[in-house]
Amino acid sequence: MSEPTTRTAVRPTASGWLQAWLPRLVLAPSVAVSLFFVYGFMLWTFVLSLTSSRMLPSYDFVGFGQYSRLMANERWWVASTNLMVFGVLFIAICLVIGALLAILLDQKIRQEGALRTIYLYPMALSFIVTGVVWKWLLNPQLGIQAMVQSWGFESFRFDWIINPDMAIYTLVIAAVWQASGFVMALFLAGLRGIDDSIVKAAQLDGASLPRIYWRVVMPCLRPVVFSAVMILAHIAIKSFDLVVALTGGGPGYATDLPATFMYTHAFNRAQIGLGSASAMLMLGGVLAILIPYLYSELRSRKHG
């Protein structure tokens, strides 16, 4: 009869404890900073949106009174309408241009690397730089209008930047110029991941190249399209620096967006409570985009 074996408890050594806790210790400062300066200030902004704060924070709570004031503010509705126009055009045009450029580069053309760099270069610039450059180009006295008129076309007019009805479209032009190359990179990566046998099978069936891309390739790129829409919508909602650099929100407040509305009222007009309420609505818009995106990503990884 064999003797029963005895099990001895193994105590963790100091090196084992350090190895187990070192990742947590390294991440702890950044997590603490994020909790305080990001989520802590989000919570504080929500608290301020429930108060009558003006030039300085005060804690005289008025419930959702600031949100009622915001809904009755004409300038807020102009900013919200501008965001809808800007966001829809910005996303749609970037998707179209990005897809077309990606399809062009997917044809294995010469100097693909150089062209890809040229198309992607605007994304390396900040929106401040983009706004300043396009402000020069769209200036009727200095830019495109002056140049075309100097060629002899005296009747040519391109003064959208000083036209209250057209100024919002100048934001679209500048933003599309900067972001379409990024969308092209997303689509190009998706195209390079599609099995060539699918395209060759469609060609053997006699399908034309445009029909192959529309009926075969684009349905395979739905995850790419979804990701691009989420990212572009996020950029549109948070657009601030481009507006400040290009139009300053003008003429008047014709090109106001929620981000510039929030900044103006919170810091220039001493209405911190109202500005905080608008910031919370912007946060709600971002979350409405971010949550479906994260859900889609987690779901795809779960089924992948």
Side-chain angles (χ1 to χ4, degrees), residues 43-67 69 271-277:
L43 180 61
W44 189 45
T45 302
F46 175 69
V47 171
L48 290 178
S49 71
L50 302 177
T51 67
S52 59
S53 301
R54 294 187 65 83
M55 181 175 292
L56 295 173
S58 68
Y59 298 97
D60 180 19
F61 288 93
V62 294
F64 291 95
Q66 297 289 7
Y67 293 90
R69 287 184 59 205
Q271 298 185 38
I272 293 179
L274 188 65
S276 298

Side-chain angles (χ1 to χ4, degrees), residues 11-33:
R11 295 182 179 180
T13 62
S15 60
W17 181 90
L18 182 62
Q19 185 176 2
W21 281 91
L22 184 59
R24 297 180 177 86
L25 294 174
V26 170
L27 290 175
S30 60
V31 171
V33 169

Side-chain angles (χ1 to χ4, degrees), residues 27 38 47-48 74-75 124 127 142 147 149 163-164 185 224 253 259 261-262 268-269 292 294:
L27 290 175
V38 178
V47 171
L48 290 178
E74 179 187 358
R75 183 168 178 175
F127 271 115
L142 302 173
M147 180 181 67
Q149 288 180 350
N163 186 337
V224 177
Y253 53 87
F261 176 94
M262 179 274 297
N268 293 343
R269 296 196 172 190
L294 293 177

Side-chain angles (χ1 to χ4, degrees), residues 1 35 41 59 74 99-100 109 117 170 222 231 233 239 251:
M1 186 174 179
L35 288 174
F41 279 108
Y59 298 97
E74 179 187 358
L100 292 176
I109 62 176
T117 302
T170 63
R222 286 177 184 173
I231 295 171
S239 292

Side-chain angles (χ1 to χ4, degrees), residues 14 32 87 90 93 119 127 155 170-171 194 202 204 259 269:
F90 171 57
I93 297 174
Y119 294 146
F127 271 115
S155 61
T170 63
L171 297 178
I194 296 176
L204 291 175
R269 296 196 172 190

Side-chain angles (χ1 to χ4, degrees), residues 19-233:
Q19 185 176 2
W21 281 91
L22 184 59
R24 297 180 177 86
L25 294 174
V26 170
L27 290 175
S30 60
V31 171
V33 169
S34 297
L35 288 174
F36 181 78
F37 287 102
V38 178
Y39 299 102
F41 279 108
M42 284 182 184
L43 180 61
W44 189 45
T45 302
F46 175 69
V47 171
L48 290 178
S49 71
L50 302 177
T51 67
S52 59
S53 301
R54 294 187 65 83
M55 181 175 292
L56 295 173
S58 68
Y59 298 97
D60 180 19
F61 288 93
V62 294
F64 291 95
Q66 297 289 7
Y67 293 90
S68 299
R69 287 184 59 205
L70 189 64
M71 293 299 103
N73 191 307
E74 179 187 358
R75 183 168 178 175
W76 169 255
W77 287 110
V78 171
S80 301
T81 303
N82 286 340
L83 178 60
M84 290 296 297
V85 174
F86 171 72
V88 169
L89 292 177
F90 171 57
I91 294 171
I93 297 174
C94 279
L95 288 177
V96 172
I97 294 179
L100 292 176
L101 292 176
I103 292 172
L104 171 66
L105 293 180
D106 193 45
Q107 307 306 310
K108 306 297 189 298
I109 62 176
R110 286 185 173 184
Q111 303 300 326
E112 176 189 335
L115 290 173
R116 188 168 60 243
T117 302
I118 292 172
Y119 294 146
L120 276 172
Y121 175 74
M123 199 64 192
L125 303 176
S126 70
F127 271 115
I128 290 290
V129 175
T130 299
V132 171
V133 171
W134 278 97
K135 187 174 183 179
W136 293 339
L137 291 174
L138 297 171
N139 188 322
Q141 307 300 322
L142 302 173
I144 297 174
Q145 176 176 302
M147 180 181 67
V148 175
Q149 288 180 350
S150 69
W151 293 344
F153 301 95
E154 297 293 338
S155 61
F156 178 80
R157 291 289 182 272
F158 189 46
D159 56 354
W160 288 7
I161 198 170
I162 60 174
N163 186 337
D165 297 326
M166 302 299 294
I168 187 63
Y169 302 109
T170 63
L171 297 178
V172 176
I173 293 171
V176 166
W177 177 81
Q178 177 155 3
S180 57
F182 171 71
V183 179
M184 175 213 68
L186 292 179
F187 274 106
L188 187 59
L191 289 172
R192 296 289 164 82
I194 296 176
D195 191 355
D196 291 339
S197 62
I198 300 176
V199 177
K200 291 178 181 178
Q203 289 175 336
L204 291 175
D205 290 338
S208 62
L209 192 60
R211 191 176 184 85
I212 291 174
Y213 274 101
W214 180 252
R215 292 296 183 89
V216 178
V217 175
M218 293 308 294
C220 296
L221 295 178
R222 286 177 184 173
V224 177
V225 174
F226 181 75
S227 299
V229 169
M230 294 298 102
I231 295 171
L232 293 175

